[in-house]
Amino acid sequence: MEAVVPQEITAELTQILSNLVLGDNEIRANAEKAVNDRLARTPELYLLALAQFAIAADTEVMRSFSLVLLRRLLFRPAPSQPHHHPSQPRLSLYDHLSSQTLTTLERLLLHSLSHEPSPSVRKKSVDTICDVAKQGMVRGRPWHALQAQTFTMTQQGAGGAGLRESAYRVFAGCPNLVMDLQTDAVLQVFQKGLQDNESIEVRHAALLASVAYLTAAEPAQLAQSLSLMYPILETIHTLSQSLSTPAPASDPAKSNHAHLTEFLTALTPLCSTNPSLFAPHLPALLSFMPQLILPAVDCGPTPTVGRPFPTARSAEGSFVFPLPGEAPSSTPEEEGENAGEDEEAEERAALRLAALEFMVSLGEAKPGMVRKVVGWVESCVRACLEGMGELEEDADLEVWLNEDPSSGSDNESNPALYEQSLDRLACALGGRSVLPPAFQYIPSMLVSYDWRQRHAGLMAIAAIGEGTGKVMQNELSKIVDLVTPMFKDAHPRVRFAACQCIGQLCTDLEEVIQEQYHAQLFPVLVSALEDPEPRVHSHAAAALINFCEGVERDTLLPYLDPIVERLLKLLNPEGDHAGVKRYVQEQAITTLAMVADASEATFAKHYPAIMPLLLSVLRNADGVEYQKLRIKAMECAGLIAIAVGKEVFRQDSNTLVELLIRIQKSPHDPSDTQLTHYLTATWAKMCQAMGEEFEPYLPVVMPQLLTTAGAKADISIYDESPETLEEKEGWEIIEMEGQTLGIRTSSLDDKCQAFETLVIYCSTLGSCFAPWLSQTLEITLPALKFYFHEGVREAAAMLVPMLLACGKQSGSLTPQMVSAIFHQVISCISTEHDSSFLSSLYKCFCDSLRLFGGPAALSPEYANGIMEATKRQLQAIADRRKSRSDRAGREGLSDEDGYDGVMGREEVAMMEEIEEYALQDMERMLEMFDANHPLLVAVSSVRDLGMWTGE
């Protein structure tokens, strides 16, 4: 292709790009500076040179790198925008290019697409072209030449598979290219790709394009495209029937198992976005999908002439040579066979999970649809149970026993993924659908000779508890009888699973299981605290936390002494301390804290044995390795102080305060991200425990607390859309008022905790908090409009009346403070869009008004203001309810699935329930002014517009 930039520019760019890919940091930094410099001075010339280099470079690496760099540079903000207004999105380099330059750039990219010989580079070309096409369309610049060329490429004959694949990948990356074309023509092109006889990669690309098209299609267009589902699903069925045949010649490097995994992965997003498309095809899918999600029956390796009596390496319990301890003797051929078998096993495992994800995603998206297909749910449940039992052999038991559970390595294993799928299935489909098939297998699993099956049965009960809880309650007695004997199982992983099962059920069936079965469960959990294996007795302590969270104090008391006695042994064992696992001590402290919180004052008898241990930890555990132990000790000490009361705690209060001050003033390790959070929480607990005696320590804690509470949100503004941005850990990407924002979530959580702590200080200390009233009120009122974190706003709404009470009790309340409070609260009520927080604002207003002296004490300005704000909110709720009702009438309503693909019945009912709380708080406010206030009729009228309120 004829050069579009001078040769000297090309030569200079070649050198710059060569330096960019070098490993030397200094050379690469200079090259990056050179790129930025050239783009600042002559962006059009160098972007065109980069596009030309992507065609003319000698090596695949450099052509690929050029395309990636071009894609990144085109849409990053232009380097200099002196008159840019902060409220406007920053323009990119693409926006500064002339129409002629854009036309030339598009021509170069199209040449790369049609002439690039390397498949890997051509994929980079597709990615860049898709970005340019999408961004151009957003800016009102359609790319007709790309549309025409890609359609032409789909018609390439034999030998043109690479071009056909690239064309469909363009359609997948930019479906809007075909949205304005005649539907029949588009379907014909996609169907041709899905039925491509030469290349499985073309079929895969056509599947990606079809899914993108159906996802982006408008309802009318979608209705005309239903026929496309037949060739789409036929690709899956055809591949599923060819799993035993060799890989296709077009891609011999991949097996059909790997190809089918890719196809299912490509199709699964359509299950979530358009589940109804699959409804007519579910019986056909059920004819072959169960075979994909269930493990193949292994009849052992096939005998050959060379190996007439082969043995399966994984056959458990079989007698094979060499004997244990002898050196294995295998030929290179056998080693190659074994490696091939391992790879095939991994591919089969990946396919099972991909197929299960497809079936579970459909169930999540449209539960009522799959419930009607007999066998769908049963197959999924059985596949999950089978997969959960496929743990590693006992050879890895020592590794598991010695592993720190906080490493979380178990969470990424295949059995854990099957467990998560079962959990999702239960939450989506409920107990009536999932419990019967699950308990068709679980009882026999729990008595299996194979410890892995027993383990899987227990973990399955734990996994389905949340989703099936209402139905499970009816069978809880049988389940408890099944689980409790497993605490005495010979295998430590089964005993661990028993702890997990009971702990999870205590959360999912909170109060029910504790109230009805504490006599059976407390003894087995307490005895598990003495299990010989640290991982088991640590997990038993964790399960006790869940148990205590839903147990009545009187129920706990008979078991308090044996629990504390055993926890103290875990925390401070007799004899050699060298073998004590730190995670066991951390868990023991955490459980002691929860037990103290649940048993309240009764815990005082154990105070003398526990508090000195905790103070010792805080005094001596200074190393990095003790960070978690120290913060757990802080939390536990604070909870115990609250539980036993200030009379018992007074003897150690000064010591604990001094230790907390020392920790607060010590240099903080940057890696210890939790210390500040736990320190703030412990100071709050100290205030609750000490009451007004804590007032002298406010100067120690308040300055930093007010700084954190008053901190602005840490926000970055991006020019890209949220979909194209990678979320960084600790940051959340949101869209607000047309802008893409990145918000540092850790700073928001700190701000929320600061306000929650201020609520504790003010409510506990009352008038003693008066010296800090003015500063606190100054940061609290603006926080009512802190839209980045609901917790901050809720805490601020609780705090406002408390500050008013504090000022009134201490005599430090000024008219300016009162005026500021009512002005801000009424202003927030008038503009609030969140019905949940609207309820909190009305409570805040009513509590404040009551403290101030009732409606008679309120000025006419604010009395009229609150009524106008209430009228506005009533109108807004009425409009929302009418809109939902109209939508239900237009789209039809299913009792099981709600609005098809738009909004479910459950979601609408929840929204109306939240609105009902707001309406109730409005009523209470109006009745404060007048028991027969005219607006009370309006509230009733708005309530009547609800579709399910009160059902």
Side-chain angles (χ1 to χ4, degrees):
M1 186 178 180
E2 185 180 338
V4 297
V5 294
Q7 177 60 35
E8 59 270 19
I9 298 295
T10 303
E12 182 186 16
L13 184 66
T14 303
Q15 184 59 54
I16 291 173
L17 293 180
S18 299
N19 290 343
L20 275 175
V21 298
L22 289 175
D24 186 278
N25 287 338
E26 186 176 350
I27 294 175
R28 190 166 61 246
N30 289 332
E32 289 172 358
K33 185 178 178 183
V35 168
N36 291 329
D37 178 58
R38 304 306 188 274
L39 289 175
R41 289 190 286 112
T42 51
E44 299 200 349
L45 192 61
Y46 277 89
L47 287 172
L48 289 178
L50 196 57
Q52 182 175 288
F53 193 75
I55 297 171
D58 295 332
T59 65
E60 291 182 15
V61 170
M62 292 308 293
R63 294 199 301 277
S64 182
F65 179 63
S66 301
L67 287 162
V68 171
L69 188 59
L70 177 63
R71 181 184 178 197
R72 188 170 19 160
L73 294 176
L74 270 173
F75 301 106
R76 80 175 189 182
S80 57
Q81 297 182 32
H83 303 295
H84 174 255
H85 192 276
S87 64
Q88 299 296 323
R90 295 185 66 187
L91 298 177
S92 65
L93 286 173
Y94 178 94
D95 297 302
H96 288 278
L97 300 181
S98 67
S99 178
Q100 181 181 350
T101 299
L102 286 172
T103 301
T104 306
L105 177 66
E106 290 169 352
R107 184 161 52 86
L108 291 168
L109 289 172
L110 289 178
H111 188 277
S112 169
L113 180 67
S114 57
H115 291 82
E116 173 56 55
S118 164
S120 63
V121 178
R122 200 160 51 241
K123 285 182 179 178
K124 298 291 191 299
S125 181
V126 166
D127 292 340
T128 305
I129 283 170
C130 288
D131 267 12
V132 172
K134 285 188 290 189
Q135 295 291 341
M137 289 178 189
V138 168
R139 292 161 171 80
R141 181 184 172 86
W143 193 351
H144 298 300
L146 173 63
Q147 191 181 61
Q149 179 167 313
T150 45
F151 267 92
T152 302
M153 288 166 64
T154 63
Q155 307 304 315
Q156 291 289 317
L163 292 177
R164 297 198 300 277
E165 179 196 347
S166 295
Y168 287 113
R169 286 190 176 276
V170 171
F171 293 143
C174 188
N176 285 337
L177 272 176
V178 299
M179 286 302 174
D180 60 343
L181 301 179
Q182 189 177 359
T183 301
D184 289 344
V186 175
L187 299 184
Q188 189 177 354
V189 169
F190 285 171
Q191 182 170 344
K192 183 179 179 182
L194 291 165
Q195 296 171 343
D196 194 290
N197 292 322
E198 182 184 353
S199 168
I200 194 168
E201 291 296 342
V202 173
R203 298 201 292 277
H204 180 240
L207 176 61
L208 289 168
S210 301
V211 169
Y213 168 76
L214 292 172
T215 302
E218 295 292 332
Q221 202 170 15
L222 196 62
Q224 298 175 37
S225 307
L226 298 179
S227 60
L228 189 59
M229 290 300 294
Y230 289 94
I232 283 176
L233 295 176
E234 185 57 33
T235 63
I236 305 294
H237 179 256
T238 302
L239 266 176
S240 72
Q241 302 307 303
S242 61
L243 293 179
S244 58
T245 61
S250 63
D251 190 4
K254 279 185 185 175
S255 70
N256 282 331
H257 288 87
H259 281 299
L260 184 50
T261 300
E262 287 184 342
F263 275 60
L264 285 166
T265 303
L267 186 56
T268 298
L270 195 63
C271 296
S272 301
T273 58
N274 298 82
S276 296
L277 292 174
F278 295 88
H281 308 279
L282 291 184
L285 285 167
L286 195 61
S287 68
F288 65 90
M289 288 299 292
Q291 286 79 18
L292 301 181
I293 62 176
L294 293 169
V297 177
D298 187 6
C299 301
T302 305
T304 63
V305 175
R307 298 175 67 196
F309 304 106
T311 56
R313 291 181 301 129
S314 62
E316 185 176 7
S318 57
F319 181 75
V320 294
F321 287 98
L323 294 172
E326 294 185 9
S329 58
S330 57
T331 65
E333 291 80 6
E334 288 174 326
E335 289 179 359
E337 274 186 42
N338 292 340
E341 288 173 8
D342 289 342
E343 185 177 351
E344 183 182 348
E346 287 178 8
E347 289 176 347
R348 287 178 181 274
L351 173 58
R352 285 173 58 197
L353 283 166
L356 182 64
E357 178 63 26
F358 172 85
M359 296 183 74
V360 171
S361 295
L362 261 182
E364 285 182 310
K366 205 163 177 64
M369 181 179 76
V370 301
R371 281 194 198 104
K372 297 171 185 173
V373 182
V374 177
W376 188 279
V377 179
E378 292 81 355
S379 298
C380 291
V381 169
R382 183 185 166 195
C384 292
L385 294 175
E386 293 269 11
M388 289 172 65
E390 295 168 4
L391 291 161
E392 296 294 332
E393 299 284 355
D394 263 333
D396 292 323
L397 179 59
E398 282 304 314
V399 175
W400 181 85
L401 289 173
N402 292 311
E403 190 176 51
D404 187 332
S406 63
S407 65
S409 60
D410 289 346
N411 298 334
E412 301 301 320
S413 65
N414 283 356
L417 296 176
Y418 283 109
E419 182 185 337
Q420 292 164 22
S421 297
L422 185 61
D423 178 24
R424 290 164 54 199
L425 203 64
C427 289
L429 297 167
R432 288 193 181 91
S433 298
V434 173
L435 270 185
F439 275 88
Q440 183 182 344
Y441 301 103
I442 287 174
S444 60
M445 292 171 73
L446 294 178
V447 294
S448 170
Y449 73 93
D450 187 345
W451 71 268
R452 294 172 298 176
Q453 290 295 307
R454 304 195 299 275
H455 179 279
L458 290 164
M459 298 300 280
I461 295 173
I464 63 178
E466 180 184 2
T468 67
K470 289 181 181 177
V471 181
M472 187 184 278
Q473 289 182 30
N474 302 326
E475 305 295 330
L476 204 48
S477 174
K478 296 175 185 176
I479 292 172
V480 169
D481 289 342
L482 282 172
V483 174
T484 48
M486 310 308 289
F487 280 85
K488 296 180 180 178
D489 195 277
H491 201 285
R493 295 199 67 171
V494 177
R495 301 196 299 275
F496 178 94
C499 296
Q500 172 68 22
C501 181
I502 293 302
Q504 190 62 49
L505 289 180
C506 287
T507 297
D508 297 333
L509 301 173
E510 188 172 346
E511 296 183 4
V512 176
I513 192 168
Q514 288 96 324
E515 181 182 338
Q516 297 179 14
Y517 300 100
H518 61 85
Q520 293 98 309
L521 296 178
F522 256 133
V524 294
L525 284 172
V526 172
S527 64
L529 292 174
E530 296 183 302
D531 193 280
E533 298 298 341
R535 284 205 71 171
V536 178
H537 59 234
S538 171
H539 210 53
L544 268 171
I545 290 179
N546 294 15
F547 202 102
C548 290
E549 282 178 342
V551 77
E552 292 292 332
R553 175 176 169 275
D554 292 341
T555 304
L556 173 63
L557 292 184
Y559 308 98
L560 184 61
D561 290 351
I563 289 174
V564 173
E565 179 187 335
R566 285 160 179 78
L567 289 172
L568 282 172
K569 284 182 181 178
L570 298 183
L571 179 59
N572 189 36
E574 299 173 358
D576 183 20
H577 285 219
V580 177
K581 302 282 187 183
R582 193 173 300 115
Y583 70 79
V584 174
Q585 292 181 308
E586 292 163 0
Q587 186 60 65
I589 287 177
T590 305
T591 307
L592 279 168
M594 180 53 66
V595 171
D597 190 42
S599 58
E600 300 171 357
T602 315
F603 197 81
K605 64 181 288 189
H606 301 287
Y607 180 89
I610 297 173
M611 188 56 82
L613 290 174
L614 299 175
L615 295 176
S616 176
V617 169
L618 294 176
R619 194 177 288 114
N620 302 311
D622 292 330
V624 175
E625 68 274 21
Y626 295 110
Q627 285 177 354
K628 190 173 180 181
L629 187 65
R630 181 170 60 173
I631 61 177
K632 293 294 182 184
M634 273 196 284
E635 179 183 47
C636 185
L639 284 170
I640 288 175
I642 294 172
V644 300
K646 62 182 176 184
E647 296 303 326
V648 174
F649 175 58
R650 188 176 283 117
Q651 58 184 310
D652 294 306
S653 59
N654 287 335
T655 305
L656 184 52
V657 165
E658 288 169 6
L659 287 169
L660 292 176
I661 292 173
R662 193 194 79 176
I663 293 169
Q664 183 167 295
K665 291 182 176 179
S666 300
H668 288 185
D669 183 344
S671 67
D672 192 354
T673 55
Q674 293 184 301
L675 177 59
T676 302
H677 172 84
Y678 275 89
L679 194 56
T680 302
T682 305
W683 279 122
K685 293 180 181 70
M686 293 290 287
C687 178
Q688 289 172 286
M690 297 172 68
E692 293 183 358
E693 294 176 16
F694 183 77
E695 191 261 339
Y697 303 111
L698 283 178
V700 176
V701 296
M702 283 298 292
Q704 181 58 47
L705 194 65
L706 290 172
T707 300
T708 305
K712 304 292 184 186
D714 192 348
I715 298 173
S716 296
I717 301 176
Y718 300 106
D719 294 281
E720 299 97 323
S721 64
E723 295 78 24
T724 60
L725 285 169
E726 270 188 44
E727 283 203 11
K728 296 183 291 184
E729 187 177 350
W731 287 76
E732 182 183 356
I733 307 297
I734 64 167
E735 270 193 299
M736 181 177 283
E737 297 179 356
Q739 288 189 315
T740 304
L741 307 177
I743 304 175
R744 193 160 70 88
T745 51
S746 57
S747 63
L748 298 185
D749 293 338
D750 292 343
K751 185 182 180 80
C752 181
Q753 186 195 24
F755 270 104
E756 289 170 348
T757 304
L758 287 170
V759 168
I760 291 171
Y761 287 169
C762 189
S763 61
T764 304
L765 296 173
S767 60
C768 296
F769 190 75
W772 305 92
L773 172 61
S774 177
Q775 291 171 265
T776 306
L777 189 62
E778 191 176 328
I779 61 172
T780 301
L781 293 179
L784 293 170
K785 291 189 176 183
F786 189 80
Y787 298 110
F788 299 113
H789 198 293
E790 285 306 307
V792 171
R793 299 210 293 161
E794 290 288 354
M798 289 177 62
L799 186 54
V800 167
M802 293 177 184
L803 292 171
L804 195 58
C806 167
K808 192 172 180 182
Q809 292 165 12
S810 61
S812 57
L813 192 66
T814 65
Q816 291 80 8
M817 289 180 182
V818 174
S819 179
I821 288 172
F822 283 107
H823 176 82
Q824 182 72 346
V825 173
I826 293 171
S827 171
C828 290
I829 288 174
S830 182
T831 58
E832 184 56 50
H833 298 288
D834 179 359
S835 297
S836 175
F837 188 59
L838 183 63
S839 178
S840 301
L841 284 171
Y842 271 107
K843 288 174 187 169
C844 173
F845 178 84
C846 291
D847 290 345
S848 300
L849 186 59
R850 207 172 283 114
L851 285 163
F852 184 54
L858 198 63
S859 71
E861 176 191 354
Y862 293 133
N864 293 331
I866 189 63
M867 294 308 159
E868 289 302 316
T870 301
K871 290 176 186 176
R872 192 174 291 113
Q873 285 297 342
L874 283 169
Q875 185 63 55
I877 295 174
D879 290 344
R880 288 198 292 270
R881 292 191 164 195
K882 287 176 185 175
S883 174
R884 288 195 293 265
S885 181
D886 291 345
R887 192 184 305 169
R890 286 196 309 270
E891 299 172 10
L893 191 64
S894 157
D895 282 348
E896 290 178 332
D897 294 312
Y899 310 137
D900 187 7
V902 180
M903 186 182 294
R905 173 188 175 115
E906 220 173 273
E907 187 180 346
V908 175
M910 185 177 295
M911 291 170 71
E912 293 194 348
E913 185 179 355
I914 292 170
E915 289 169 353
E916 175 60 24
Y917 290 137
L919 292 172
Q920 289 173 5
D921 284 307
M922 281 186 202
E923 282 182 322
R924 294 187 187 102
M925 183 276 297
L926 292 168
E927 287 167 355
M928 285 181 71
F929 282 83
D930 182 355
N932 298 307
H933 198 286
L935 283 179
L936 289 170
V937 177
V939 172
S940 298
S941 300
V942 173
R943 180 176 287 124
D944 291 341
L945 292 173
M947 289 162 35
W948 289 296
T949 301
E951 278 193 9

Coordinates of all heavy atoms in Angstrom, one line a residue, residues 105 278 320 372 383 385 407 425 545 787 944:
L105 N -7.0 7.1 8.1 CA -6.8 6.1 9.2 C -7.7 4.9 9.0 O -7.2 3.8 9.1 CB -7.1 6.8 10.5 CG -7.0 5.9 11.7 CD1 -5.5 5.5 12.0 CD2 -7.5 6.7 13.0
F278 N -34.5 -19.0 24.7 CA -34.2 -20.4 24.8 C -35.5 -21.2 25.2 O -35.4 -22.5 25.1 CB -33.2 -20.6 25.9 CG -31.8 -20.0 25.6 CD1 -31.5 -18.7 26.0 CD2 -30.9 -20.8 25.0 CE1 -30.3 -18.1 25.7 CE2 -29.6 -20.2 24.7 CZ -29.3 -18.9 25.0
V320 N -0.9 -51.7 42.7 CA -0.1 -51.6 41.4 C 1.4 -51.5 41.8 O 1.7 -51.1 43.0 CB -0.5 -50.3 40.7 CG1 -1.9 -50.4 40.1 CG2 -0.4 -49.0 41.6
K372 N -40.5 -25.6 34.6 CA -41.5 -26.4 33.8 C -40.9 -27.5 33.0 O -41.6 -28.3 32.5 CB -42.2 -25.4 32.9 CG -43.0 -24.3 33.6 CD -43.5 -23.2 32.7 CE -44.2 -22.1 33.4 NZ -44.5 -21.0 32.5
A383 N -25.3 -32.8 39.0 CA -24.0 -32.5 38.5 C -23.2 -31.7 39.5 O -22.0 -31.9 39.7 CB -24.1 -31.6 37.2
L385 N -23.6 -32.0 42.8 CA -23.2 -32.9 43.9 C -22.1 -33.8 43.5 O -21.1 -34.1 44.2 CB -24.4 -33.7 44.3 CG -25.6 -33.0 44.9 CD1 -26.8 -33.9 45.2 CD2 -25.2 -32.4 46.3
S407 N -5.8 -18.3 53.7 CA -5.3 -18.3 52.3 C -6.3 -18.4 51.2 O -6.2 -17.9 50.1 CB -4.2 -19.4 52.1 OG -4.8 -20.7 52.2
L425 N -28.2 -21.9 42.3 CA -29.4 -22.6 41.8 C -30.4 -22.6 42.9 O -31.6 -22.3 42.6 CB -29.0 -24.1 41.5 CG -29.8 -24.8 40.5 CD1 -29.8 -24.2 39.1 CD2 -29.4 -26.3 40.4
I545 N -19.7 -18.8 66.5 CA -20.0 -17.4 66.4 C -21.4 -17.3 65.7 O -22.3 -16.5 66.1 CB -19.0 -16.6 65.5 CG1 -17.7 -16.5 66.3 CG2 -19.5 -15.3 65.1 CD1 -16.5 -15.8 65.6
Y787 N -24.1 11.5 48.4 CA -24.7 10.5 47.6 C -23.8 9.3 47.3 O -24.3 8.3 46.8 CB -25.2 11.1 46.3 CG -26.3 12.2 46.6 CD1 -26.0 13.5 46.3 CD2 -27.5 11.9 47.1 CE1 -26.9 14.5 46.5 CE2 -28.5 12.8 47.3 CZ -28.2 14.2 47.0 OH -29.1 15.1 47.3
D944 N -52.9 3.5 47.4 CA -53.8 2.6 46.6 C -53.3 2.4 45.2 O -53.8 1.5 44.6 CB -55.2 3.3 46.6 CG -55.9 3.3 47.9 OD1 -55.5 2.5 48.8 OD2 -56.8 4.1 48.1

